[in-house]
Amino acid sequence: NSQVPIRVKSLPKVSRLAGEGGDFTCAISQDLGDVYCWGDNFYGTIGDNSISQRRLPKLITAHAGVLDFATGSQDACSVSRDVSGGGGGAFCWGRNAQGEVGDNSLMERHVPTAVTGHGTGVRKISVFGFHSCLMTNTGAAYCSGDNQTGQLGNNGAPTDSQTMVQVSGLTGAMAPLST
């Protein structure tokens, strides 16, 4: 524990840090867009195919760089860059208690796992308590996971979803992202 900032060892220059709500932190390297994570790893939140706590940054993915990244209390997600620059694929890992990883399962995922049900061209991703959401190049929004209070926005029954479902009522409301 430290009451003053300390330098994180063995970490390249970073463009972004994420550690919202959890006992782990992740960073995106400035040069290649690689993801490094460290801290608590009880549900595989570090993404290194283990549940061992990591006291130093651990390289997690090296898949063509990362465009966007988000962490929750027990899950993390990334968007890989498409070589054409048009957005990429979504990957999530961690607890997955209510389908928030979005891979059509409730299994813990200890490595980045492809998210299903949203098409292609993902640009932004967010992780909340037990659900995650993403936005595509066309401006469409999709969510998966806990829906007990309607947080998936699909105007359906309060039923969880293990795959991404499109958020209702946003057609034309979100501007498409340019490349």
Side-chain angles (χ1 to χ4, degrees):
N1 292 336
S2 177
Q3 296 180 4
V4 296
I6 57 173
R7 181 179 170 92
V8 178
K9 297 177 182 177
S10 71
L11 189 64
K13 288 185 179 180
V14 299
S15 62
R16 184 159 171 246
L17 287 170
E20 299 88 354
D23 292 330
F24 69 105
T25 303
C26 296
I28 299 175
S29 70
Q30 199 171 48
D31 53 353
L32 300 174
D34 291 334
V35 175
Y36 292 81
C37 296
W38 61 97
D40 183 48
N41 197 20
F42 188 73
Y43 297 108
T45 52
I46 299 297
D48 66 346
N49 203 25
S50 80
I51 56 170
S52 300
Q53 183 174 354
R54 301 293 179 195
R55 295 188 181 272
L56 292 172
K58 173 87 174 165
L59 176 63
I60 305 310
T61 75
H63 58 68
V66 170
L67 180 66
D68 194 32
F69 190 81
T71 60
S73 60
Q74 300 168 342
D75 304 279
C77 294
S78 68
V79 176
S80 65
R81 279 195 187 108
D82 179 317
V83 293
S84 68
F91 298 84
C92 294
W93 59 95
R95 186 169 182 193
N96 203 23
Q98 291 173 282
E100 60 271 26
V101 167
D103 69 335
N104 202 24
S105 83
L106 293 175
M107 293 178 55
E108 273 183 23
R109 297 298 182 186
H110 299 169
V111 296
T113 303
V115 174
T116 60
H118 58 77
T120 59
V122 177
R123 287 296 222 153
K124 293 285 185 187
I125 199 154
S126 296
V127 182
F128 309 96
F130 292 103
H131 72 286
S132 57
C133 296
L134 58 82
M135 188 172 82
T136 67
N137 286 341
T138 63
Y142 295 83
C143 297
S144 71
D146 181 16
N147 195 34
Q148 295 308 301
T149 58
Q151 54 270 58
L152 300 186
N154 63 342
N155 202 24
T159 304
D160 299 348
S161 179
Q162 298 169 18
T163 59
M164 290 286 169
V165 294
Q166 189 165 7
V167 176
S168 302
L170 290 181
T171 305
M174 298 175 70
L177 295 170
S178 60
T179 56

